Structures are given as structure tokens and as C-alpha cells.
Amino acid sequence: MNRHIPAALWLAYLAFAWTLGVAAAAFTGADRAAALAAAGLLATLSFAFRPRASTLLLAAAGAGLVFLAGWRYDATRPDDTPTGIARYNGQTLRFRALVDAEPQERASWRRYRLAVREAFVDGRWQPDSGGVLMDAPLYPERAYGDVLEIEGELETPPAFADFDYREYLLRRGVTSVISFADVRLLDTGQGSTLRSALISARARLGGALQDALPEPEAALAAGVLLGARSAVPRDLRDDMNATGTSHLIAVSGQNVTIVAGLLIAMLTWAAGRRRAAWLALAAIVAYAGLVGAQPSVLRAAVMGSLYVMSIALGRQRTAPVALLFAAGLMLAGDPRLAHDVSFQLSFAATLGLIVLAPPLQERLQAALPAGARELPATRAVTATFAVTLAAIAFTLPITAVNFHRVSLVAPLTNLFAVPAFAAVAATAALTAGAGLVFPAAGDLTAWLSWPPAAYMIAVVRLFAALPAASIELRGAGAGHAIAYYAVLALAVWWFGRHPAPRPEPTPAPIQAPVGARPALVPAAGVAVLCGLCAVLLWLVITAPAADRLSVTFLDVGQGEAILIEGPAGHRILVDGGPGGEAINAALGRHLPFYDRRLDLVVLTHPQADHLGGLPEVLDAYTVRGVLANPLPAETALYGAWKDALARAQAPVAAARRGQNIDLGEGARLDVLAPSAGGSGSTDVNDASVVLRLSLGEVSFLLTADIGEDAETALLRTGTDLQAQVLKVAHHGSRNSSSPPFLRRVQPLVDVISVGAENRFGHPTQDVLDRLYGDLVLRTDQNGDITVSTDGDRIWVRPQR
């Protein structure tokens, strides 16, 4: 037996020793007893695998690295004494800072990362430093490279019971947070030229996807292609977390590694395993550049590239050595990475693909019937399942310890969803590229990119809806993770010692006679044709009945948006909710992707919970006309609305009492308020546009945010207010829906547009008591609520 240890194993051993030392220090607070225990464990394992006297030198070197790694970790531990801008946490401060990252849009606000440059202290500007996370309104929108002057109260990030948010931000250089402060723009274009170009390219590609696709398909496509996780609606992100598919839209080593493995699995049958690996490597490099090449992205790319290159070079046996060495180098540069969950997931997922995926695929292949083993589709399916299961097996304890939740349906969901991932990425790239060059081409390629995105969303939501799709695991700790990995290591060792039985070779196929024509089985063409037929069938089934008037009260959170679809095909959107994310997702649920048309947009009054999403609606949809409340507002949001109107070039009319719109087939929309002279009230809510929609014997009353004074004014006009369906005013505020008003309306169905657990306490119990006896539906509880009529009967269809 060779007594010399190969150089590669030396590197692996020393890297493992360093990694073990950092881990022992990181998870025990640099306890010396933990370092001693880690060194003892390393020595025990060394002599167990190589019981020789010469191993003593190896064990000594490893123990020295364990203690050195612990010292290195302890030396990089941040001082608790606040430095930089964090010195002023808890105080109101004026400071200047650079927007040094791409802003992230939330439901009704934006989040900016700031690099502080100066602070106004003791009556003068002084140089300062530090990272600040700022939450601000959607408008005015700031961009990467802007220099801002901010005044507000700085706060220390909180540490929650199950998540140390302060530590999480600290590792990313952020020491303070500030919310909705006074902001003034000082300068623009002060960021990195290269990074600005990348962000601009990402924005243009994402904009092309939004122009071509509805939500949430556009957001999913952007998440897959650009790593824009924040653009994906919260409900879909929650479903992806529950089904273990969130890695598909995350810029992490876990995502890069798994996707690379799946690309290799799917391309092997066409290009061969090594060529497929080189293609996957090229995809990793391109992806890292496209999403910004930040340090976390580069670490992810390194992890994925190690796995891919081991296949491309035919050196899969040395891949664990390269992985350990890379991890050791990263931890030597920044030992605090040991706490980074994305780093842990990257390392674990890559290790799983290297050591567990190949034997799993061999056993799956061996278990199949002889005739199915060599089929390209079969090999792709078994490779997909093996890659997914290996990654899940190695990352499961990390997920359980950090997020206290484990998905039970992850293997099956990934098996069905991951094949669509490559199709979503490829078609999204085609649609985005075509949309940049020639916008009309993006509309055509949307027919290719919408089906795989819609399929992937449907799979995720289907499995997320299953009982016990994910289970909560409270109390899982490092001890449980160590025990789990010990069992997993034994399983991998057993797989290595007991390889899958080699199947008998398949008999050679009988050669066809010379000159005979091969039978053509256009399987791919049949599959595409079936898919398109399914899409067309779905569109036919979900299209509203031609003879009905349909009103959908959209779930947009604490705000209001109503979609009207007339019996002759007219589409009217009344208000747009608090932000673009919610309204675009809601419209995407009800309008066909190929027809992005709104015949009329109505703004009832210029408050954020009704106006916030309309600027994005005007940008994303073809709007043929606008009916707006004539009341102006001195806000940045209203300025964004005026700018969007100018870009849309849609005719705008001021809403006045007495106006009416013929929707065809007997349907009619009447404007009941405001009157030409105004409501007489200084309250912007009382100046809201009030609409009455009718068909035959059925009518809807849409009251926006009017209060009791405006209700009384309407009663005095003698207007016919009777309606079977009432949109309850002002989200169920106690100052609306007065008893005299309700007696005049006499509704049967009451719909309240309201956000879950909102800070206003809407709807109030007083209003709910006044509505007693009616059918009361709420968007926070029932989701989107569709009420349709043929002029005689009423159909009510809540989402939940």
C-alpha cells in the first residue's frame, strides 16, 4: 500500500481542518474547549482512516490549523462599540449618502441601501461612513448612483426571537435603518460605470418582460433570468418557500449548482456529458455577470463552477478536494462567512451534488426496466430527481435550523417544476431580447414564454396547497444538524461501498433494410401542439361569459382596485391599489396575457391607496382613456401619475356628476359624484368619484372613500342609489356607511376592499354590525371577489 499521501488529499485535509476550526469557533463563540474538541475529533478521524505513526504529523498540522482558524475568527469579530454612522442610532440626524445598490420595490414602498459620505454634526458637515437601509415611498423613485441628503431618525436593526436581523445586516455592512425620512436629491450618476451599465441592462430586460407578460409570470421570468427575487409577489414567494423551489429565483450557490446540474442532465443526451458541462459553465459565467457580479454572486458562481468543471475535465473524484479548498480560502478571507446561510447552503448543495447525486442516479437507473434505461428522457428524469434529492438531503438541516420549516413536497415539486425552469429561462431571454430590439416582437415571443412560466407557477401552487406541504420544526439546533450529517455521511459511505448492480447490456437494435424510410415520431412537436391546445382550452374556459357584466374587487392589500368587464368586451379599471406589484399581479390573474388592453382607467381620488399602482398600470397596459378626479394633489406620487399619463398619451377627462358610459348590451356606467361645483367638503375622501353600474335589474354602487357627509349630499340629490351590490365605502371606516345611506341603497351583497391586519382597524365592528343580514365579503379574507350578472341573476365567486 502506498505510504505517501497525494498532494490533493493534503490540500483537502488542511482545508477541512481550517473549515472545522472556523465552524467550531463560529458556533460556540470561539470557545477554546470547542477548538480542543474539534482538534481531537480531527485526530481521531485521521488515525481511523490511516492508523500509522506518520499520521501523527498530519494530525498535529491539522490541530494547529484548527486553533489558528479559531484565532482568526476571533480576531475578525466586530467590536460592539458603534462606529461610523451607527454612533447616532436612536437620534435624528441629517446626512448625505450614495445609493450604492439597485433599489428593491415592495408592495407600496421602496428599499434603498445607502453608503454614508457625510453627517451634519455640531453645525457643520463632517466626513462619515457606514451602511444604512432606508425605506421610502414609491415616488419619487431614486436610482443607483444618486447622492441624497436625508434627515430622519436612525435606528439600530432589531434582533428577533428566531432571527438576528441586526447580525444579518451587519455582515452586509449595514449598521443602521431609517424609515420614511425627508429626502433631497443632490446629484446623480455617481456610482460605478460598469455597475450602472449592468443595472441599466437588467432594468431594460426586466421592462421588456413586463411589457410582454402579465404578472406573476413576468416577475417569475425576471426572477429566473435576472435573479430579481424581490419582484416576485409575496404569495408566490411563500408558496415557493413551502415547496422548496425558492432556490430557482435566488442568486445563491445552491441555485447555481442545482441549475448547473440540471442543465447538464438535460443537455447530456444532445451534446454529451462533457460538452453539456462546458455549456453549463458558460451559462454560470453569463448569469453571474448579468445579475451584478457582487461578492455573494461570485461566491455562488465559484461553488457552481467547481462542480461543473469537475465534470467537464473528467475529474469528479477530485471535486470534493477542490470544494473544500475553495471553502477554506473563502473562510480564510472572511471567517464570518460561516454564519452566512447562503454560504452554508451553497457549500452543502454543491457537496451533495458531488458525492450523492451520481450514486443516486445509478440506483434509479438500475431500478428501471431494461427497455427504459437508455432513453434520453428517462436519463434526464432520473438525473433531475437525483440532483434535486441530493441537494435537498444536504441542505435540509440548514433550512430547519435557520428557518424552522421543512418542505415535505420539495422532491416532487422540483421534479415537476425544474424541467420548466430551463424553458422559462430560455424563453424569457428570447422575449426580453426581442422586446429590446423590436417591442412588437416581444408580444409574439410571449406566446412561447408565457406557457412554461404559467405551468411552473401552477405546479408550485398546486403542491403548496397540499395538506402539510411544509412542517414547522421548532427547537432544531446545531446538535441535531451534526447528528443528521453523521447519518448522511454513513449513507454516502455505504453507497460508495455498495455500488448499484450493473444492468445487462441491451441487445443491439435490428438494422432496418437498406433504402427503408425511418419511422418519424415527432414527439417534441406533438408535445408542443398539446401544450398550445391546453393553453387555448384554458383561455376559452376562463373567459367571462359574453352576455354578463362582471365586476371583480381585486385583492391589493390595504387599498382598492376594481376591474369591470362589460358584456360587449369593455374593460374598466377603477383605481389601482397602493402599489404596482399588487395591481399587476391582480390584473394578471384575470386578464389574458395576449390582450393587455384597458378601455378606461378611473381614478376616484388621488390618495396613495387608490393611486399608488396606476402609474405602473399606465406603463404596462394599453390604456385607451382615463377618467380622473379633477382634484389635484401636491405629492410625488401625483407627479408620477401625471408623468405616466403623458407617456401613455391616453385622452383624459375630468369626472363630473351626470356623465355616463354605454358599455353595450344594456350595461351602463353613471358618474354620481363629484358635482361640477365639488362636494363642498375639504376632505379629499368626500370628493371621491362615485359610480353606479347597471345591467337590467341589477346594479352595483362603487363608493370609493366617501364619508357620511358625502353620503348625505348624495341622499339630498334624490339620485337613485338602490343597488344589489355595494362596495362598502372607505374600507369599512366607522365614518362611512351611515344607516340612512344603507337604507336607501338596500344592498344584498356588500364587498369590503381591505388589507389583512391593517393599522387602521378596518373594517370596524360598527360597520359590520350595520351590514348584518347581508352577504358580506372581504378581500383580506376572500381574496379577489367576482360578482357577475346577466341583468336578472347574480353570481358571486370569491377566490377563497
Side-chain angles (χ1 to χ4, degrees), residues 578-594:
E581 175 186 313
I583 185 61
N584 285 333
L587 290 175
R589 292 192 293 267
H590 296 277
L591 299 182
F593 75 92
Y594 56 84

Side-chain angles (χ1 to χ4, degrees), residues 46 51 63 160 176 196 228 274 314 325 332 338 357 374 383 385 412 417 466-467 488 533 555 568 570 594 605 758 776:
S46 301
F160 304 108
S176 309
S196 295
R274 290 195 179 184
F325 189 65
E374 301 305 321
F385 194 74
L412 275 179
L466 294 177
L488 187 59
C533 290
D555 180 13
H570 296 85
Y594 56 84
H605 61 298
N758 63 86
V776 179

Side-chain angles (χ1 to χ4, degrees), residues 697-715:
E697 301 299 319
V698 179
S699 57
F700 300 74
L701 188 62
L702 310 180
T703 55
D705 275 0
I706 62 171
E708 188 171 356
D709 290 343
E711 292 174 350
T712 301
L714 274 174
L715 292 174

